[in-house]
Amino acid sequence: ELKNLGHKISHVTVGCILSELGYRLQGNKKVLEGANHPDRNAQFEHINKRVKQHQRRKQPVISVDCKKHELIGNYKNNGQEYCPKGEPIEVKDHDFIDKEPGKAIPYGIYDITHNCGFVSVGVTKDTSLFAVQSIRSWWDKMGKALYPKARKLLITADCGGSNGYQRRLWLHELTKFATDSGLTISVCHFPVGTSKWNKIEHRLFSFITMNWRGRPLTMLEVIVNLIAGTTTTTGLYVQSEVDETTYQTGLKIDDEDLANRNIKREKFHGEWNYIFSP
């Protein structure tokens, strides 16, 4: 536009002028959380109260979420790993997904009281069926042994994703799990935009990411072994397994079926806090 007005100028000159004016090339910075819900802090207080109630009664409390999907194959993984000098691990120069072997979908369950985790690595889709089946697997393989006298289970989860409070299939499958396990299951969701406060994020997932930094995730077995090999100085212990089940998408739960489920909504934000009885 300046050239059209008769000025002699180039992109280099424009860059110099912008620099003199205090401008710099910068990437985006993730800091905005969106509008805060007016009851955000009250929900935090409610979750904290429920967690302490369950822990005093020696009942299990778990934090659940699905970790970022990971490409399986000889792809670059951010971070650094010790190798002989001048011999870095060679990986593909592109990150285009191969249909075979595809992606790994790690769904995690973190036991807040015992500081231990269970990660089910799926290979199809992050669906509510997969989420609840992962919780079932944790209960069968870890939970029963840690809590032999358990009668109740508290789940803390994000508002969205496969375990979102608006997912009818999530509600439907949890009622079935409550009946099958004999547990009274309470669920408390973190308000929208506050998923980073979910304990699994900074007590389990962050350490898994640090443990496999710089290592290509070439096979499912490698992913499972790296997850299971994650430890911390505070005693974190993790189990992991592959779930090769093909989970169907697009399943619909109608109003009548959901109404017949034994779901009790709490008085305070019943959409976020609810209970399933066997």
Side-chain angles (χ1 to χ4, degrees):
E1 289 299 317
L2 289 170
K3 283 182 177 179
N4 290 336
L5 294 172
H7 297 281
K8 292 182 178 180
I9 194 164
S10 69
H11 66 281
V12 176
T13 304
V14 172
C16 292
I17 295 171
L18 288 171
S19 179
E20 291 173 1
L21 293 173
Y23 287 85
R24 298 292 184 273
L25 287 172
Q26 301 180 76
N28 300 150
K29 186 177 181 180
K30 291 184 177 181
V31 293
L32 303 178
E33 297 180 358
N36 291 341
H37 193 283
D39 290 333
R40 183 171 103 155
N41 189 66
Q43 178 65 3
F44 283 159
E45 296 285 355
H46 180 79
I47 293 173
N48 188 49
K49 179 181 177 181
R50 294 301 303 276
V51 168
K52 289 183 176 180
Q53 285 175 347
H54 275 68
Q55 288 178 323
R56 280 197 302 268
R57 297 166 184 167
K58 302 187 185 305
Q59 302 298 300
V61 181
I62 57 174
S63 170
V64 304
D65 197 12
C66 189
K67 196 179 186 298
K68 181 176 75 71
H69 300 186
E70 302 288 348
L71 290 176
I72 305 172
N74 195 29
Y75 298 100
K76 178 182 178 181
N77 197 359
N78 291 330
Q80 295 177 320
E81 174 76 359
Y82 275 105
C83 301
K85 187 176 180 180
E87 299 180 23
I89 299 173
E90 295 182 349
V91 297
K92 295 181 180 181
D93 63 356
H94 65 274
D95 290 337
F96 301 124
I97 185 172
D98 293 332
K99 291 184 179 180
E100 186 66 35
K103 286 185 177 183
I105 306 169
Y107 191 92
I109 295 91
Y110 175 71
D111 184 334
I112 295 175
T113 303
H114 287 91
N115 189 30
C116 60
F118 180 87
V119 180
S120 181
V121 182
V123 294
T124 51
K125 296 288 184 180
D126 176 25
T127 69
S128 297
L129 279 172
F130 172 52
V132 176
Q133 181 55 44
S134 299
I135 297 172
R136 284 178 180 268
S137 298
W138 163 80
W139 176 245
D140 291 336
K141 295 175 172 63
M142 293 184 74
K144 285 181 180 178
L146 291 170
Y147 302 93
K149 298 181 180 180
R151 295 292 179 268
K152 297 182 178 182
L153 169 65
L154 174 61
I155 301 173
T156 63
D158 297 346
C159 261
S162 58
N163 47 233
Y165 70 94
Q166 293 179 320
R167 297 273 185 169
R168 293 187 172 199
L169 189 58
W170 161 256
L171 304 174
H172 179 270
E173 290 302 308
L174 277 180
T175 58
K176 292 169 61 176
F177 175 48
T179 298
D180 295 342
S181 64
L183 295 169
T184 297
I185 300 175
S186 300
V187 182
C188 293
H189 290 274
F190 285 87
V192 176
T194 63
S195 61
K196 296 303 179 185
W197 275 264
N198 199 355
K199 284 185 168 52
I200 194 171
E201 293 282 354
H202 47 87
R203 291 194 182 178
L204 178 60
F205 287 165
S206 61
F207 295 110
I208 291 173
T209 300
M210 286 191 286
N211 190 49
W212 69 27
R213 66 188 184 278
R215 303 186 190 186
L217 306 177
T218 53
M219 297 183 296
L220 279 171
E221 291 76 9
V222 171
I223 294 173
V224 168
N225 289 336
L226 287 171
I227 291 173
T230 302
T231 58
T232 65
T233 55
T234 56
L236 175 66
Y237 168 72
V238 187
Q239 288 187 22
S240 183
E241 67 177 20
V242 176
D243 183 349
E244 295 182 334
T245 305
T246 299
Y247 290 98
Q248 184 180 348
T249 59
L251 295 176
K252 303 294 184 182
I253 305 297
D254 58 34
D255 293 338
E256 183 179 355
D257 186 32
L258 197 61
N260 291 331
R261 298 291 167 176
N262 195 11
I263 306 174
K264 178 184 176 182
R265 301 283 182 176
E266 295 193 30
K267 291 182 180 180
F268 179 74
H269 279 286
E271 75 278 16
W272 291 342
N273 308 291
Y274 44 89
I275 302 170
F276 305 97
S277 298

